[in-house]
Amino acid sequence: MARDAQILEHYMSPAYNTTASCARPSPYSVYSHDPRDPVVYMKVPRHRNIAPSGNGTAGFRQYEVMEKILEPLGPQLCRAYFDNIHPPFPILDEKAIMEAYPEEGLPYTLVCELYAVSLVLWGTSKAISVTGRPAPDVRYMWNLAVSAMNDDFIAPDLSTVFSCILDLLGRPTTSITYNAVNVGRVVALAQSLGLNRNPLNWDLAARQKNLRIRAWWGTLIHDQW
């Protein structure tokens, strides 16, 4: 398919058709020029047919509610995740997450899932325990995270894959049917994003390659498990 796209692009491009009145930008991004294994991505603008509530960004309303429930302990809960859950299952880029988190630069759904999966550490985190705050209603918090996830799947991207992996990681037995559905759609999304392809020789930054490998690794583990 990638090779077909390259051939069509050659014959349909303004450079080939000298009578073209104006040049149009290429709809494709080429990640690998290897003639034996070309990789071409079609550029599709993000568009949501159903506008999520809140500020128009998926998961924003749920994020606001969770923030209000947790404040000011959100950073401590995030830290607890990386101290306890991340080492044996290093899906996320810890440095990038911890830098973007204080600036609210993370996808809202990802933060919702990060909070939800970390709630099991509420009683074991010293930074949280010293406050004497009771743990939030876990079921209610998970319902918010699931709602954010469903909003995000309207127009998913790579962050949706990570959010879904966290969801599966935190709820292994509480909802068998929902987990099965989540596995199916995250596998489909991962393959549509080309995560099942080896990106090491692609024209991408090292960080992007690393994220793609981590995302596929996490997806594969949950699918096989």
Side-chain angles (χ1 to χ4, degrees), residues 54-220:
N55 71 346
T57 304
F60 176 73
R61 177 180 60 83
Q62 298 89 338
Y63 164 79
E64 278 199 320
V65 175
M66 295 180 82
E67 275 289 327
K68 283 296 182 182
I69 293 173
L70 295 173
E71 67 179 9
L73 299 178
Q76 287 84 343
L77 196 59
C78 188
R79 184 68 264 168
Y81 169 86
F82 284 106
D83 288 344
N84 297 273
I85 299 175
H86 180 72
F89 201 69
I91 292 298
L92 302 178
D93 183 335
E94 180 178 358
K95 183 175 183 293
I97 294 290
M98 296 307 292
E99 288 178 353
Y101 176 81
E103 307 297 328
E104 296 188 4
L106 296 172
Y108 296 120
T109 300
L110 182 63
V111 178
C112 290
E113 292 290 349
L114 189 61
Y115 284 158
V117 77
S118 304
L119 285 175
V120 294
L121 303 170
W122 189 274
T124 60
S125 169
K126 292 182 179 179
I128 295 176
S129 297
V130 296
T131 66
R133 284 269 298 275
D137 185 325
V138 175
R139 181 176 292 275
Y140 178 67
M141 296 289 275
W142 268 114
N143 285 342
L144 288 172
V146 169
S147 175
M149 171 74 66
N150 290 333
D151 281 353
D152 209 38
F153 261 102
I154 295 174
D157 56 17
L158 184 58
S159 72
T160 310
V161 175
F162 286 109
S163 298
C164 201
I165 291 172
L166 290 180
D167 190 279
L168 291 166
L169 176 65
R171 299 177 356 113
T173 59
T174 56
S175 180
I176 301 299
T177 302
Y178 176 77
N179 287 347
V181 171
N182 250 4
V183 168
R185 63 181 179 175
V186 76
V187 169
L189 174 59
Q191 292 193 344
S192 72
L193 294 174
L195 299 184
N196 57 316
R197 306 287 294 274
N198 185 353
L200 292 181
N201 295 322
W202 293 7
D203 296 331
L204 291 174
R207 177 178 172 274
Q208 286 294 322
K209 294 178 184 179
N210 182 265
L211 285 175
R212 294 177 68 87
I213 292 172
R214 290 187 190 209
W216 179 246
W217 178 71
T219 301
L220 185 63

